[in-house]
């Protein structure tokens, strides 16, 4: 099985490009953000606990997302691998993912990182807010908090996966989705070759 991670700051286009990668390579796209929003929509206990953290742009505890991911690894069949989107987001999650995969005789295949500068994060999220109406896209203050969280908690993963020789970066600042998608798919082809 392949285990790809699509990585990058909020608004970089992870969810958008994940769809194209999923289809081309027959992968299961697992977005922890989407899984959490589904729990909130369904009114589960987990969703109730997670909502305030998410709506304020803070991370939910590692154990919460790790359990959701492990469950999906057990349940999902008929794919050639997984495309993890928004997970791992902390060093602890990355280490636990290595352990979880190691127990299955598997490992992370590669990290595809979409890079955009902070100034573009605001612009992209403002655009998305108008379309999707997510509570955590609604204010500049919350977006700023998510950017801060990304730099302090998630960015260290670049070094973690670089040391494993698994980190690959794409310049995702192209002006159209199509242009950025072509860059992402070109990188995927190189990795798969
Ligand atoms: P996303 O859809 O990936 O932007 O995620 C939306 C929100 O869900 C994040 O701002 C976090 O509050 C929460 N979340 C998603 N994935 C994770 C994760 N791996 N670890 C902790 N919190 C997460």
């Amino acid at each position: 099985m392949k285990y790809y991670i699509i990585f990058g700051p909020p608004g970089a286009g992870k969810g958008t490009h994940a769809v194209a990668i999923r289809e081309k390579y027959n992968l299961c796209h697992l977005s922890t953000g989407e899984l959490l929003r589904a729990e909130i929509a369904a009114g589960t206990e987990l969703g109730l606990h997670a909502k305030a953290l998410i709506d304020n742009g803070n991370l939910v505890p590692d154990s919460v997302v790790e359990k959701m991911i492990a469950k999906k690894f057990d349940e999902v069949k008929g794919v050639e691998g997984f495309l993890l989107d928004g997970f791992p987001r902390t060093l602890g999650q990355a280490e636990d993912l290595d352990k979880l995969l190691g127990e299955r005789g598997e490992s992370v295949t590669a990290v595809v990182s979409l890079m955009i500068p902070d100034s573009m994060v605001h612009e992209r999220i403002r655009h998305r807010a108008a379309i999707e109406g997510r509570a955590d896209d609604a204010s500049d203050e919350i977006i700023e908090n998510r950017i801060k969280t990304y730099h302090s908690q998630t960015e260290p993963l670049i070094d973690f996966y670089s040391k494993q020789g698994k980190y690959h970066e794409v310049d995702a600042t192209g002006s159209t989705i199509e242009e950025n998608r072509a860059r992402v798919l070109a990188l995927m082809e190189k990795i798969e070759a």
Side-chain angles (χ1 to χ4, degrees), residues 10 14 31-34 36-37 53-54 57-62 65 85-90 93 128 134 136 146:
K14 298 187 292 293
S31 156
T32 41
E34 272 175 26
L36 289 165
R37 285 189 287 280
L53 290 167
I54 295 172
N58 296 315
L59 298 183
V60 306
D62 289 351
V65 282
D85 164 2
F87 177 89
R89 238 177 172 103
T90 64
Q93 289 176 22
R128 182 171 74 189
R134 275 171 55 172
D136 59 345
R146 288 163 65 202

Side-chain angles (χ1 to χ4, degrees), residues 8-169:
K14 298 187 292 293
T16 303
H17 299 304
V19 175
I21 300 174
R22 172 192 76 196
E23 281 168 10
K24 184 160 179 200
Y25 295 99
N26 185 27
L27 304 172
C28 170
H29 171 208
L30 283 185
S31 156
T32 41
E34 272 175 26
L35 292 173
L36 289 165
R37 285 189 287 280
E39 295 280 344
I40 294 173
T44 65
E45 200 172 323
L46 192 162
L48 286 174
H49 281 120
K51 186 173 173 13
L53 290 167
I54 295 172
D55 286 357
N56 289 306
N58 296 315
L59 298 183
V60 306
D62 289 351
S63 60
V64 171
V65 282
E66 287 170 7
K67 267 188 218 136
M68 295 194 311
I69 289 284
K71 186 161 172 265
K72 289 288 179 186
F73 285 169
D74 283 337
E75 282 173 2
V76 176
K77 308 274 181 250
V79 293
E80 283 170 52
F82 289 86
L83 178 58
L84 306 178
D85 164 2
F87 177 89
R89 238 177 172 103
T90 64
L91 268 180
Q93 289 176 22
E95 286 162 0
D96 289 344
L97 175 63
D98 276 356
K99 257 185 247 155
L100 179 67
L101 292 178
E103 286 162 8
R104 295 160 181 260
E106 306 273 10
S107 60
V108 169
T109 307
V111 177
V112 174
S113 173
L114 308 182
M115 271 303 132
I116 62 169
D118 289 355
S119 56
M120 209 176 244
V121 171
H122 281 278
E123 191 187 310
R124 294 260 177 98
I125 290 187
R126 241 176 253 131
H127 177 70
R128 182 171 74 189
I131 299 166
E132 295 182 14
R134 275 171 55 172
D136 59 345
D137 284 346
S139 88
D140 279 341
E141 201 187 331
I142 294 169
I143 296 167
E144 208 47 56
N145 189 32
R146 288 163 65 202
I147 293 174
K148 231 173 62 196
T149 304
Y150 169 77
H151 286 305
S152 62
Q153 307 222 48
T154 308
E155 214 164 43
L157 300 190
I158 295 178
D159 193 44
F160 180 85
Y161 287 113
S162 296
K163 283 187 180 137
Q164 295 187 6
K166 292 178 176 172
Y167 181 77
H168 306 265
E169 206 165 276

